[in-house]
Amino acid sequence: MPIICEGVGYKYPGSTEYVLRDVNLEIGEGEAVAIMGDNGAGKTTLVKHFNGLLKPVEGTVYVDGVDTREVEVSLLARKVALVFQYPEKMFFSESVYKEVEFALKNFGFEERLIHKIVEKTLKTFWLWEYRDRSPYTLSGGEQRRLALASIVSWDPKYIVLDEPTAGQDAIQREILIHLIWRKVREGKTIVLVSHDVEFIAEFSPRVILMHRGRILYDGEGDELFRRRDLLEKAGLDQPILYKVASSLGIGDGEVTLARLIDYIVGLRPCSD
Amino acid sequence: MFRLVDIFKYPAKDTYLSHIDPRAKIIICILYVIPVVLFSGIYELMIIYSLVLVNLALGKSVARYLRSLIYLSPFLALVAFLNYITMGSLIDALIPILRLIILIAILDIFFFTTDPDNFILTLESLNLPLSISLSFALALRFIPTMLTQINEIVEAQISRGLQLDRGNFLKRIRNYIPIIVPLVILSIKRSIEVAESLEVRGVHPNAPRTRYVELRFTSRDYIYLVINIAVVASISIAMYIYPINQLLHNLLPINF
């Protein structure tokens, strides 16, 4: 059973302005979805509905067929993991090991199992050697990985990542992309919130484009990235590959780096 | 979750009071505190209270003041209850509460209608050193920021399965560790950032400073002051000479 939003509207208490308006969408199991849009489009507000942190003012959100208004956040969080922007701000444990252990204890895992899971997760995220260090002594990239590890550890069905690559250098970005892809291949449902078009273009999953609390577009990323009008409306830039392809006049076909290189090489054959 | 945020935030409304010199507002605050302390009859206090509310209405802040009272109501109820136990009469228990409510309203005349930036100017114009006035103003400025931050941390930790209301009393206190530790770390980091950005912009506690905005009393400020002083003084003197509380009490007896 998927995540379903039916006519979701939301306004913050005390405010009269709706930050989400008539949002209808369905996120299926094992799907990789990107939610994109400009600042203040309502992306973060929308994903906070998925684990029940916010309850819709209008309409309904169903997670696996259950109305989020009828269950506690702690129950939903077991299924829908939400990683906020700059999650490394929320570290509080004295060691990397305990930081991962925290959620597992909260969800009532058995003591024996906890050790196994923490070890496996930290190894997957290349953090096992740092297990006794304080999370605050890690580098920025390692901290982001730890934040991701602490969420993935309890094996949630849905993983929602809010701007996972913000403030990361190219290498750490690659590592994060690799780790996220791995989860997609494992059959997890991944929701990425981002306005990093290059990052999303690499994935090229289904993209939901938001602007002023409404959904502007919901469909193939590849198709969206060709539509400059929609991207501009949501304050986004076209990915560089699509820009190059359209200025070369071959924007209608498949846009991949290999095809562009072939085309450019064909234009200017080497003289020798 | 933490709706308190709205109460501490300066709403930047364009009202009559927000254009009044903050120093004039401080004088008004002190002016109103005097009769609240001097009089102890319920009718007398109610008359002063209505004058204070008129002032708050000039700042379009009555609704916000009433909302802040809702948050304080458990505390006020506790004080009233303790008073009732020790004094035995409901009316005697309610008068300190009434005084407290009026004092809050008086403070709100200043805080709900004064831009935090002007607040620094006010403190400086009272000849306080910059290190004190600036830290005080910054502390006030960061209350809403911290409340927003607490909200963010709570949401993040709840998403990791934290249940704040689980367990016995001691366990519940321990539940707050995942919230307090990041909050303290973030606050320390932010204070360093603020200090650095102040230094970058050339703020030095002992260096001579010029000001872009200077506080000046205008005719509007004088009119506001004179009318308030005249009204409060004449009503206070009248109430002092004629025991209004006694008279009104005979007309409208309140006995508990």
Side-chain angles (χ1 to χ4, degrees):
Chain A
M1 291 282 261
I3 296 178
I4 300 172
C5 295
E6 272 176 11
V8 171
Y10 187 77
K11 56 180 178 184
Y12 284 96
S15 159
T16 50
E17 202 189 340
Y18 275 86
V19 279
L20 287 182
R21 273 175 275 198
D22 192 33
V23 172
N24 292 293
L25 59 89
E26 191 175 325
I27 297 172
E29 265 176 62
E31 217 178 344
V33 183
I35 299 177
M36 306 189 75
D38 45 347
N39 295 331
K43 308 182 294 279
T44 305
T45 311
L46 176 63
V47 295
K48 277 185 189 171
H49 280 83
F50 294 168
N51 75 349
L53 273 177
L54 298 178
K55 316 283 185 196
V57 173
E58 283 170 10
T60 326
V61 177
Y62 297 100
V63 175
D64 287 356
V66 180
D67 186 340
T68 56
R69 265 180 289 228
E70 282 158 15
V71 273
E72 277 190 52
V73 182
S74 51
L75 278 173
L76 273 176
R78 177 79 178 75
K79 249 185 229 168
V80 186
L82 193 54
V83 185
F84 284 95
Q85 267 185 61
Y86 299 102
E88 53 274 13
K89 287 198 297 193
M90 308 307 174
F91 293 156
F92 68 95
S93 309
E94 56 262 53
S95 71
V96 166
Y97 186 93
K98 286 192 175 164
E99 196 64 49
V100 179
E101 203 184 25
F102 170 66
L104 296 171
K105 280 187 170 168
N106 285 334
F107 289 123
F109 281 73
E110 268 179 63
E111 206 66 45
R112 278 177 302 124
L113 208 58
I114 287 180
H115 180 74
K116 268 188 202 161
I117 296 174
V118 175
E119 186 178 341
K120 187 180 153 239
T121 318
L122 284 179
K123 281 182 176 160
T124 317
F125 284 78
W126 304 300
L127 292 164
W128 180 240
E129 52 190 300
Y130 304 134
R131 61 188 175 278
D132 295 323
R133 275 173 53 179
S134 157
Y136 282 100
T137 62
L138 301 180
S139 76
E142 288 157 355
Q143 286 190 351
R144 188 65 57 87
R145 250 155 48 213
L146 173 59
L148 213 60
S150 73
I151 296 288
V152 168
S153 63
W154 75 79
D155 198 31
K157 197 166 154 192
Y158 306 94
I159 302 171
V160 184
L161 302 163
D162 196 350
E163 293 285 359
T165 57
Q168 297 286 307
D169 62 31
I171 295 170
Q172 292 303 332
R173 232 182 76 161
E174 281 302 314
I175 294 174
L176 284 171
I177 291 174
H178 167 81
L179 290 168
I180 293 167
W181 254 134
R182 196 142 132 186
K183 287 291 145 195
V184 176
R185 279 200 303 273
E186 281 173 20
K188 301 284 172 208
T189 308
I190 305 274
V191 179
L192 291 164
V193 177
S194 181
H195 41 218
D196 182 349
V197 282
E198 300 297 338
F199 170 59
I200 298 301
E202 273 175 68
F203 272 84
S204 199
R206 169 178 160 204
V207 177
I208 294 166
L209 187 68
M210 292 186 72
H211 180 58
R212 292 192 180 179
R214 286 181 199 280
I215 293 183
L216 278 189
Y217 174 89
D218 182 355
E220 282 292 311
D222 184 59
E223 203 183 308
L224 172 70
F225 293 138
R226 290 163 204 271
R227 295 188 57 181
R228 204 182 278 173
D229 55 322
L230 271 181
L231 288 172
E232 258 168 32
K233 197 170 174 195
L236 295 171
D237 209 3
Q238 222 178 356
I240 189 80
L241 281 185
Y242 288 85
K243 260 189 206 164
V244 174
S246 70
S247 52
L248 285 173
I250 55 163
D252 294 334
E254 183 198 13
V255 179
T256 59
L257 187 59
R259 180 167 171 251
L260 286 188
I261 291 172
D262 279 352
Y263 185 80
I264 295 169
V265 169
L267 281 180
R268 299 189 176 202
C270 298
S271 50
D272 48 348
Chain B
M1 191 173 289
F2 281 84
R3 297 280 297 112
L4 270 173
V5 176
D6 300 340
I7 285 171
F8 283 100
K9 227 182 259 169
Y10 174 66
K13 272 190 217 160
D14 187 27
T15 64
Y16 178 79
L17 267 193
S18 46
H19 293 294
I20 295 287
D21 192 306
R23 289 170 296 179
K25 280 185 270 188
I26 287 189
I27 296 173
I28 293 299
C29 288
I30 297 167
L31 175 74
Y32 276 101
V33 169
I34 298 168
V36 173
V37 176
L38 283 181
F39 294 104
S40 55
I42 195 158
Y43 289 109
E44 289 152 345
L45 287 174
M46 287 305 273
I47 289 168
I48 303 293
Y49 192 20
S50 54
L51 290 177
V52 174
L53 286 180
V54 169
N55 270 290
L56 261 184
L58 285 177
K60 292 184 186 161
S61 305
V62 179
R64 198 152 158 246
Y65 158 70
L66 293 176
R67 242 181 293 142
S68 73
L69 280 189
I70 295 173
Y71 286 99
L72 280 169
S73 53
F75 170 70
L76 295 174
L78 181 72
V79 175
F81 178 68
L82 292 176
N83 279 341
Y84 182 61
I85 291 176
T86 47
M87 294 196 254
S89 123
L90 193 57
I91 198 93
D92 286 342
L94 282 179
I95 280 176
I97 302 297
L98 185 59
R99 277 213 176 106
L100 205 59
I101 290 174
I102 301 172
L103 286 177
I104 294 167
I106 292 172
L107 276 180
D108 287 347
I109 294 178
F110 183 82
F111 283 105
F112 282 179
T113 63
T114 308
D115 191 320
D117 294 341
N118 280 337
F119 190 66
I120 305 182
L121 290 177
T122 318
L123 290 173
E124 276 181 43
S125 66
L126 300 172
N127 278 330
L128 280 172
L130 183 67
S131 54
I132 292 177
S133 62
L134 196 62
S135 2
F136 197 77
L138 280 177
L140 210 67
R141 157 74 185 71
F142 277 117
I143 291 174
T145 316
M146 255 173 93
L147 288 170
T148 321
Q149 200 106 60
I150 292 173
N151 205 10
E152 271 175 29
I153 298 171
V154 168
E155 283 186 344
Q157 307 298 36
I158 286 178
S159 300
R160 289 165 73 190
L162 178 70
Q163 276 175 298
L164 288 171
D165 49 1
R166 189 164 58 180
N168 58 22
F169 182 66
L170 277 177
K171 176 84 174 68
R172 279 182 193 211
I173 293 175
R174 281 179 59 88
N175 285 347
Y176 278 87
I177 292 176
I179 294 171
I180 292 164
V181 174
L183 185 68
V184 171
I185 292 172
L186 286 173
S187 303
I188 292 171
K189 277 189 180 165
R190 192 173 41 233
S191 68
I192 295 170
E193 274 167 24
V194 170
E196 280 172 351
S197 71
L198 284 174
E199 272 175 45
V200 165
R201 286 184 240 175
V203 176
H204 189 281
N206 300 323
R209 268 159 61 89
T210 54
R211 288 186 187 87
Y212 184 66
V213 184
E214 299 229 2
L215 293 178
R216 267 206 196 89
F217 262 68
T218 60
S219 53
R220 196 210 294 244
D221 299 321
Y222 285 115
I223 293 169
Y224 177 66
L225 268 181
V226 167
I227 292 178
N228 258 303
I229 292 173
V231 170
V232 174
S234 52
I235 288 182
S236 297
I237 292 167
M239 287 197 299
Y240 186 72
I241 297 171
Y242 305 102
I244 285 179
N245 203 51
Q246 218 51 49
L247 292 173
L248 282 172
H249 196 77
N250 293 339
L251 283 174
L252 248 172
I254 299 177
N255 292 311
F256 294 97

